[in-house]
Amino acid sequence: MTTATVRQLVPLQNAAKGRFFGMRQAAVPDRERIEGFLAQGAEVAIDFAGAAVTQSFVDELVGRLILEQGPDVLQRIIFKNCSDDTRAVIRFVAADRVDQYLKAKTH
């Protein structure tokens, strides 16, 4: 008998009513929710529908998770409803933080 992985949804539009996410501090409550879900063994789906984000916001939301938990954390996070710009920001932040994590662990 296998158990299904629990998936938790974190809709960002609730935090800013579908608006712009620019400040790093705005990501903290959602990151803390994500950390809690991950600690429980769940996958997390972050829903970016209606949200425009900055690099600083994504770095606080996802980059910090990579630095603290390692690149494997990305295997447990799903990015939903991303615009092309949002997807580009996520890729940039993830690549940068994975590189930083790996350099710190090998030196």
Side-chain angles (χ1 to χ4, degrees):
M1 181 173 156
T2 62
T3 58
T5 301
V6 174
R7 182 175 297 158
Q8 296 291 338
L9 180 65
V10 177
L12 296 182
Q13 73 270 17
N14 289 344
K17 300 177 180 69
R19 301 285 180 211
F20 181 73
F21 292 91
M23 293 178 28
R24 183 175 290 277
Q25 188 63 27
V28 172
D30 286 317
R31 181 183 39 76
E32 289 174 345
R33 285 184 61 213
I34 292 166
E35 287 172 331
F37 292 144
L38 292 171
Q40 296 171 8
E43 285 185 346
V44 177
I46 305 171
D47 190 350
F48 287 85
V53 296
T54 65
Q55 182 178 330
S56 293
F57 180 87
V58 173
D59 188 48
E60 184 65 31
L61 186 70
V62 179
R64 186 162 165 186
L65 293 172
I66 295 168
L67 289 176
E68 292 174 355
Q69 298 184 29
D72 290 344
V73 73
L74 293 172
Q75 296 177 20
R76 297 178 51 210
I77 300 174
I78 298 160
F79 302 101
K80 295 178 58 172
N81 299 311
C82 298
S83 68
D84 290 342
D85 289 341
T86 296
R87 192 162 303 284
V89 170
I90 293 168
R91 284 184 181 137
F92 176 81
V93 167
D96 183 57
R97 292 307 189 184
V98 166
D99 184 55
Q100 188 176 6
Y101 177 87
L102 293 174
K103 285 180 180 174
K105 295 298 177 188
T106 59
H107 289 94

